[in-house]
Amino acid sequence: MERVIALVDMDCFYVQVEQRLQPEYKGKPCAVVQYKKWKGGSIIAVGYEARACGVNRNMWGDEAKKLCPDIHFFRVPEVRGKADLTKFRDAGKEVINVLSRFSNCVERASIDEAYIDLTEEVKRRMDKRAQKELLQNTHIVGFDKEGRLEGLESWLDSVYEGDDFNNIQDKKLAVGALISEEMRAAVYEETGFRCSAGIAHNKMLAKLSCGINKPNKQTVLPYGSVQGLFSTLPVRKIRNLGGKLGESLVEELNVEFIGDLVKFPLTELQNNFGDKTGEQLMKSQWFPHHNEKSADIGEYEEF
Ligand code: DCP
């Protein structure tokens, strides 16, 4: 049984936490800054209204103000000169509490992200067809060129027209997407926070798909779309390949996209990057068939 994993990532999390405390700033351009003295502070979170003006996390507060004169800055509180993240951590825990009702296998991956293994819940619900009306915020990788709804409809039609291996795996993802819509709605209802999600057969693919449509959206990555996605996805976009290792992969193997990399045999990866890294590269990546075991979801945490 292929697993169904959702990665839930909160949208502009620190900004949402601050806006919940001061609702008069909801819908307005906002950012969160740390250490305010130098150049207006360093920006660590940017709301989507401010992103629309071109503000991003690599800027100083002063630069952002030039681009977006109406921007409001929230400042991270400090205790004895150190950032005090208590309110953000607590808000993250609230979200985890909601998510944990949907699965007993939830792994908190960062202050605002969690992997949820939905396999068991999906199994229980496989006899019901996933209805498009219940997938209002769902995008399907490889199917939304004509528009979200058209893509979703054509994917669902193809998924439910047969019963071969791929159909069954896709049906699991469709049911997983349904549960994920419910989870995200529950998070919003109970905490007031919006989030995005990626739904796929393993953690890496779930994480990858989550970033494709944001904010307040979710993205399914079916088996059949993995290769197409990889053939256009720069190597450096993959988690753990953003730094030096990614750089040397690109330079030494002369590859641009992650899809180019899967062609290399283990021996070649090991010759270039050493036995351990070569093996890690081969094992950890890129095809759901590599099939992480359930324990691979990480330290199994119950909240
Ligand atoms: N954060 C931080 N320093 C960084 C990056 C992030 O303190 N260099 C904090 C602020 C973010 C939170 O962690 O709000 C979550 O980071 P994300 O990378 O998930 O980004 P956001 O949630 O802010 O935005 P997005 O909607 O793009 O996920």
Side-chain angles (χ1 to χ4, degrees), residues 9-14 44-46 48 51 57 111-112 214:
D9 178 26
M10 307 311 291
D11 300 323
C12 56
F13 189 46
Y14 286 16
I44 57 171
V46 185
Y48 281 79
R51 291 184 203 195
R57 201 148 56 192
I111 199 159
D112 80 329
K214 264 185 148 265

Side-chain angles (χ1 to χ4, degrees), residues 142-175:
F143 285 79
D144 55 3
K145 285 174 205 87
E146 306 290 318
R148 188 199 73 86
L149 186 58
E150 290 76 2
L152 176 66
E153 282 171 350
S154 87
W155 181 66
L156 285 174
D157 288 346
S158 68
V159 167
Y160 282 98
E161 83 187 358
D163 249 336
D164 65 18
F165 177 80
N166 283 336
N167 290 120
I168 294 169
Q169 301 319 313
D170 280 1
K171 277 180 207 172
K172 289 176 195 165
L173 293 182
V175 175

Side-chain angles (χ1 to χ4, degrees), residues 37-261:
K37 290 196 185 98
W38 177 251
K39 297 186 178 178
S42 118
I43 296 183
I44 57 171
V46 185
Y48 281 79
E49 291 81 3
R51 291 184 203 195
C53 309
V55 177
N56 66 51
R57 201 148 56 192
N58 303 319
M59 288 175 184
W60 296 103
D62 290 348
E63 291 172 68
K65 191 91 188 163
K66 274 187 209 145
L67 275 177
C68 183
D70 295 335
I71 194 166
H72 175 75
F73 293 121
F74 299 103
R75 304 198 183 275
V76 174
E78 286 170 38
V79 177
R80 287 182 288 278
K82 276 185 76 181
D84 175 13
L85 302 179
T86 312
K87 64 179 150 187
F88 307 114
R89 289 205 185 98
D90 289 348
K93 281 184 209 148
E94 283 179 51
V95 174
I96 296 289
N97 286 340
V98 179
L99 299 176
S100 300
R101 289 211 312 274
F102 291 81
S103 167
N104 61 4
C105 190
V106 173
E107 178 194 342
R108 195 170 182 182
S110 74
I111 199 159
D112 80 329
E113 278 182 330
Y115 291 98
I116 303 103
D117 190 334
L118 296 174
T119 313
E120 289 305 311
E121 188 58 21
V122 164
K123 222 189 260 177
R124 276 191 281 280
R125 299 208 205 172
M126 278 295 275
D127 55 336
K128 275 211 188 116
R129 185 181 165 125
Q131 302 290 338
K132 65 170 190 253
E133 293 77 14
L134 299 174
L135 295 169
Q136 298 271 347
N137 291 300
T138 303
H139 294 249
I140 314 294
V141 176
F143 285 79
D144 55 3
K145 285 174 205 87
E146 306 290 318
R148 188 199 73 86
L149 186 58
E150 290 76 2
L152 176 66
E153 282 171 350
S154 87
W155 181 66
L156 285 174
D157 288 346
S158 68
V159 167
Y160 282 98
E161 83 187 358
D163 249 336
D164 65 18
F165 177 80
N166 283 336
N167 290 120
I168 294 169
Q169 301 319 313
D170 280 1
K171 277 180 207 172
K172 289 176 195 165
L173 293 182
V175 175
L178 202 66
I179 300 166
S180 179
E181 289 268 15
E182 290 172 17
M183 277 194 311
R184 292 175 43 253
V187 167
Y188 182 63
E189 210 164 282
E190 293 171 44
T191 68
F193 298 137
R194 298 280 194 199
C195 60
S196 299
I199 301 106
H201 291 299
N202 69 28
K203 285 167 63 179
M204 193 274 294
L205 295 175
K207 166 89 181 163
L208 203 57
S209 24
C210 179
I212 297 175
N213 296 288
K214 264 185 148 265
N216 196 27
K217 295 186 181 75
Q218 59 177 46
T219 306
V220 173
L221 178 52
Y223 261 143
S225 299
V226 172
Q227 247 172 318
L229 177 65
F230 283 2
S231 66
T232 57
L233 191 74
V235 171
R236 311 271 288 273
K237 289 265 174 188
I238 297 276
R239 193 161 57 133
N240 301 332
L241 298 185
K244 284 219 165 92
L245 178 58
E247 203 175 299
S248 47
L249 281 169
V250 171
E251 278 168 16
E252 289 176 36
L253 300 179
N254 195 24
V255 292
E256 189 177 352
F257 304 112
I258 200 73
D260 304 331
L261 216 50

